[in-house]
Amino acid sequence: AQSVTQLDSHVSVSEGTPVLLRCNYSSSYSPSLFWYVQHPNKGLQLLLKYTSAATLVKGINVFEAEFKKSETSFHLTKPSAHMSDAAEYFCVVTWRSGGYQKVTFGTGTKLQVIP
Amino acid sequence: NAGVTQTPKFQVLKTGQSMTLQCAQDMNHEYMSWYRQDPGMGLRLIHYSVGAGITDQGEVPNGYNVSRSTTEDFPLRLLSAAPSQTSVYFCASREPGTGSDEQYFGPGTRLTVT
């Protein structure tokens, strides 16, 4: 079975300091990996995605993630947190099975940014 | 393009009542899905459809029905609401085979069952 584990349910950083949100995945197939962001009372927005091209993926708002197959990780980083980054972040893995695409969401990491 | 739209935004039901959550997309996407979001559990797939006339169960299908008569619409029906179905529901669509696999989400429906 495919799975994704977000190692921290809550992360708190000070404004201007780096952000690290951790995600590990388990997949028997070649996965596609995504990070989505959800601001309070809003829908989900795609931040970035890995689909077997470059292992370092750049997304919106200066977020990046690096796909490390040896560590089965896809951690999300940002050099300097901004107040507007306060939101919940979801790591997502997709794969193909039986001709259809399957998807699994992580349980989410809430990012708090302290002024 | 409006993208993915959902109605209503909020709904309160009594136990045993039925209702339909509406979802529509104007991007001509073949794949559509329904998720529920509960605190600490991420999004869980309820039902999905890979095209008009084709639906299948996801991770948590019990208590929900779906149909897909057109490419644009994918309604979710609660036949007899239960308090355990209190949640935020998201509809999503995607176009397969584009190499993207990105899902587009609606704004959500917040459902409370008393």
Side-chain angles (χ1 to χ4, degrees), chain A residues 32 34 36 38 41-44 46 49 51 88 90 94 96 99-103 105-108, chain B residues 31 35 37 40-43 45 48 50 54 90 94 96-97 99-103 105-107 110:
Chain A
S32 293
F34 302 77
Y36 283 84
Q38 184 182 29
N41 300 312
K42 300 289 187 184
L44 281 81
L46 180 68
K49 60 189 177 190
T51 54
E88 190 161 19
F90 293 94
T94 68
R96 293 200 172 275
Y100 299 129
Q101 191 201 50
K102 307 290 187 182
V103 58
F105 279 74
T107 52
Chain B
Y31 280 31
Y35 296 87
Q37 183 180 31
M41 303 187 77
L43 275 73
L45 183 64
Y48 65 98
V50 299
I54 306 170
F90 288 98
R94 185 178 66 81
S100 170
D101 289 348
E102 175 185 353
Q103 293 199 78
F105 287 87
R110 190 173 295 272

Side-chain angles (χ1 to χ4, degrees), chain B residues 16-69:
Chain B
Q17 286 185 315
S18 63
M19 79 158 294
T20 299
L21 278 63
Q22 301 292 344
C23 174
Q25 52 93 7
D26 61 358
M27 298 172 282
N28 205 33
H29 287 170
E30 289 293 324
Y31 280 31
M32 295 186 75
S33 307
W34 275 104
Y35 296 87
R36 58 176 291 172
Q37 183 180 31
D38 302 292
M41 303 187 77
L43 275 73
R44 292 181 291 169
L45 183 64
I46 304 171
H47 286 284
Y48 65 98
S49 168
V50 299
I54 306 170
T55 64
D56 204 350
Q57 296 180 348
E59 182 184 355
V60 288
N62 292 343
Y64 307 95
N65 278 357
V66 292
S67 59
R68 185 94 180 273
S69 56

Side-chain angles (χ1 to χ4, degrees), chain A residues 27-56:
Chain A
S27 176
S28 305
Y29 307 90
S30 296
S32 293
L33 292 158
F34 302 77
W35 277 99
Y36 283 84
V37 60
Q38 184 182 29
H39 288 93
N41 300 312
K42 300 289 187 184
L44 281 81
Q45 178 187 15
L46 180 68
L47 263 184
L48 49 80
K49 60 189 177 190
Y50 166 77
T51 54
S52 76
T55 56
L56 181 62

